C-alpha cells in the first residue's frame, strides 16, 4: 500500500540544449542537469561551455540551479563503464577547471558538478572466486572533488551496479564521507527507478542516508510510472529525496534529445509542482 502524499516532490531535468533547459525552468523544474548536445543515447556527456553561456544570457536567463555533467565518453566497447584512464581523468580536470574559470556557475546558488568514477576489484565472495565487482574509485573521486571545490558534487548512475548489491548503504556512506552532496541512481541495474524493487532500495537509502547525502531517483521515470514512487518517497524532505528525468521526445520509436513539454508537465503535475489543468 502506498503512503499518503506528504509534500510536493522536486524534479531535476536532464537537458541537452540551452533551449530545453529554459523550457524546463518555465514549466516548473526545480533544477537542470546540463549535458552535451546529442549525448542522450550514451547517457550524457560533458557539455560545451558555450551552451551554459547561452543559459546565462539575457533576456532569457536560467535562474534555477544547474548541475553540469562531467563525463568524457560513453561506455567502452568492452569492459565496465566509468573506469577512466589518466588521460580521461585529465580531461575531466580540465573541463571542471574551465567551467569554474568561466564564472558562469555559482556554488551559492546550488550549481554543482556531476561525475562518477569506479574501479574493478576482486570479489571477496567465497562462492565466486576470481570474479570482479564494481566499487567506487575513492582516489579519483577525491581528486575530482578537490578540483571542483567550492562547488558541490553529485555521484551519478555509475552507482547503479553497487545499488543492486548488499554493499549499497556502505557505499553511499563512503560517498558522503568523500564529500559528495548528492547521489543520482536508479536503485539498481537495467530498470526504472520507479519499479517497486528499485524504489524500495531508494527508499532504504533515503531512510539510512537522511542528513548525509541527497538521493536523486532517476532512470526510466515517466508520467505513467512516477505516482507510486512519489507517494513512497514524499515522506522525506528536499534535502533527502529528489526525482530526475530526461523526459525526451520519442519519434518513430527512437528517443531524441528534445524535451517533451507535455511529458514534463504531466510528471510535474503528479509530483505536485504544477496544478492540474
Amino acid at each position: 500500500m502506498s503512503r499518503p502524499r506528504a509534500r510536493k516532490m522536486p524534479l531535476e531535468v536532464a537537458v541537452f540544449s540551452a533551449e530545453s533547459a529554459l523550457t524546463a525552468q518555465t514549466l516548473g523544474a526545480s533544477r537542470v542537469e546540463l549535458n552535451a548536445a546529442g549525448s542522450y543515447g550514451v547517457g550524457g556527456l560533458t557539455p560545451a561551455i558555450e551552451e551554459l553561456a547561452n543559459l546565462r544570457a539575457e533576456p532569457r536567463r536560467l535562474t534555477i540551479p544547474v548541475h553540469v555533467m562531467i563525463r568524457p565518453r560513453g561506455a567502452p566497447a568492452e569492459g565496465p563503464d566509468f573506469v577512466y584512464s589518466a588521460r580521461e581523468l585529465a580531461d575531466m580536470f580540465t573541463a571542471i577547471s574551465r567551467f569554474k574559470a568561466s564564472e558562469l556557475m555559482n556554488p551559492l546558488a546550488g550549481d554543482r558538478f556531476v561525475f562518477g568514477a569506479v574501479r574493478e576489484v576482486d570479489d571477496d565472495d567465497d562462492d565466486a572466486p576470481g570474479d570482479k565487482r564494481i566499487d567506487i574509485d575513492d582516489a579519483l573521486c577525491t581528486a575530482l572533488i578537490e578540483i571542483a571545490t567550492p562547488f558541490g558534487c553529485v555521484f551519478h548512475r555509475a552507482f547503479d551496479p553497487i545499488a543492486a548489491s548488499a554493499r549499497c548503504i556502505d557505499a553511499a556512506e563512503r560517498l558522503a564521507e568523500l564529500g559528495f552532496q548528492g547521489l543520482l541512481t536508479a536503485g539498481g541495474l537495467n530498470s526504472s527507478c520507479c519499479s517497486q524493487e528499485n524504489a524500495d532500495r531508494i527508499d532504504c537509502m533515503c531512510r539510512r542516508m537522511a542528513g548525509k547525502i541527497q538521493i536523486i531517483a532517476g532512470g526510466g521515470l515517466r508520467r505513467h510510472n512516477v505516482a507510486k514512487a512519489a507517494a513512497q518517497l514524499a515522506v522525506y524532505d528536499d534535502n533527502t529525496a529528489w526525482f530526475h528525468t530526461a523526459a525526451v521526445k520519442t519519434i518513430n520509436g527512437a528517443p531524441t534529445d528534445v524535451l517533451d513539454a507535455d511529458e514534463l508537465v504531466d510528471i510535474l503535475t503528479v509530483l505536485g509542482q504544477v496544478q492540474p489543468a
Side-chain angles (χ1 to χ4, degrees), residues 70-91:
I70 302 297
R71 186 176 175 222
R73 58 158 172 80
E78 296 182 3
D81 199 359
F82 312 112
V83 176
Y84 295 117
S85 66
R87 178 64 211 174
E88 289 166 338
L89 182 62
D91 289 343

Side-chain angles (χ1 to χ4, degrees), residues 162-177:
I162 303 171
S165 74
R167 299 173 288 111
C168 176
I169 300 300
D170 288 344
E173 291 274 8
R174 278 172 54 205
L175 290 179
E177 290 168 2

Side-chain angles (χ1 to χ4, degrees), residues 114 136 232:
V114 183
I136 299 162
Q232 185 170 355

Side-chain angles (χ1 to χ4, degrees), residues 5-11 194 221-232 234 243 262-277:
R5 172 62 59 79
R7 67 181 178 106
K8 297 178 181 179
M9 292 291 293
L11 181 68
C194 295
L221 187 154
R222 295 293 185 268
R223 58 187 162 195
H224 69 272
N225 62 12
V226 66
K228 188 173 181 180
Q232 185 170 355
F243 280 108
D262 292 336
E263 175 82 18
L264 181 56
V265 168
D266 285 349
I267 294 171
L268 287 164
T269 301
V270 173
L271 297 179
Q273 296 290 350
V274 173
Q275 293 299 314

Side-chain angles (χ1 to χ4, degrees), residues 3-271:
R3 305 175 194 177
R5 172 62 59 79
R7 67 181 178 106
K8 297 178 181 179
M9 292 291 293
L11 181 68
E12 170 184 289
V13 179
V15 295
F16 302 85
S17 70
E19 189 66 28
S20 289
L22 292 167
T23 299
Q25 173 176 265
T26 298
L27 295 178
S30 297
R31 69 181 176 224
V32 295
E33 177 197 87
L34 183 62
N35 296 267
S39 69
Y40 173 80
V42 296
L45 298 175
T46 306
I49 290 177
E50 291 75 15
E51 205 67 29
L52 183 57
N54 289 338
L55 283 175
R56 299 305 194 198
E58 300 287 358
R60 298 179 65 198
R61 185 171 67 86
L62 191 77
T63 57
I64 58 177
V66 60
H67 285 185
V68 175
M69 176 63 73
I70 302 297
R71 186 176 175 222
R73 58 158 172 80
E78 296 182 3
D81 199 359
F82 312 112
V83 176
Y84 295 117
S85 66
R87 178 64 211 174
E88 289 166 338
L89 182 62
D91 289 343
M92 296 168 81
F93 285 166
T94 298
I96 292 172
S97 298
R98 286 177 175 170
F99 273 104
K100 289 174 63 176
S102 74
E103 299 185 348
L104 294 167
M105 297 173 66
N106 181 0
L108 300 180
D111 297 340
R112 298 170 174 169
F113 290 104
V114 183
F115 52 79
V118 300
R119 59 196 180 100
E120 280 192 307
V121 299
D122 292 329
D123 198 326
D124 52 11
D125 186 346
D126 292 337
D127 294 330
D131 282 359
K132 300 285 187 179
R133 61 178 172 84
I134 297 298
D135 198 8
I136 299 162
D137 192 322
D138 293 37
L140 263 62
C141 287
T142 297
L144 288 163
I145 288 171
E146 288 178 354
I147 291 291
T149 303
F151 290 89
C153 298
V154 175
F155 194 96
H156 58 41
R157 290 185 57 192
F159 190 81
D160 286 356
I162 303 171
S165 74
R167 299 173 288 111
C168 176
I169 300 300
D170 288 344
E173 291 274 8
R174 278 172 54 205
L175 290 179
E177 290 168 2
L178 289 172
F180 283 98
Q181 295 180 356
L183 167 57
L184 170 62
T185 181
L189 286 169
N190 303 320
S191 187
S192 166
C193 67
C194 295
S195 71
Q196 193 59 60
E197 182 179 16
N198 285 16
D200 286 346
R201 289 197 192 102
I202 292 169
D203 190 353
C204 180
M205 280 190 278
C206 289
R207 185 170 62 254
R208 296 282 296 275
M209 300 304 299
K212 300 177 182 178
I213 194 170
Q214 186 178 84
I215 305 299
I216 307 161
L221 187 154
R222 295 293 185 268
R223 58 187 162 195
H224 69 272
N225 62 12
V226 66
K228 188 173 181 180
Q232 185 170 355
L233 300 183
V235 297
Y236 302 105
D237 63 24
D238 286 3
N239 292 321
T240 302
W242 277 58
F243 280 108
H244 170 106
T245 186
V248 296
K249 288 184 179 180
T250 298
I251 299 176
N252 296 326
T256 69
D257 279 0
V258 179
L259 184 67
D260 186 330
D262 292 336
E263 175 82 18
L264 181 56
V265 168
D266 285 349
I267 294 171
L268 287 164
T269 301
V270 173
L271 297 179

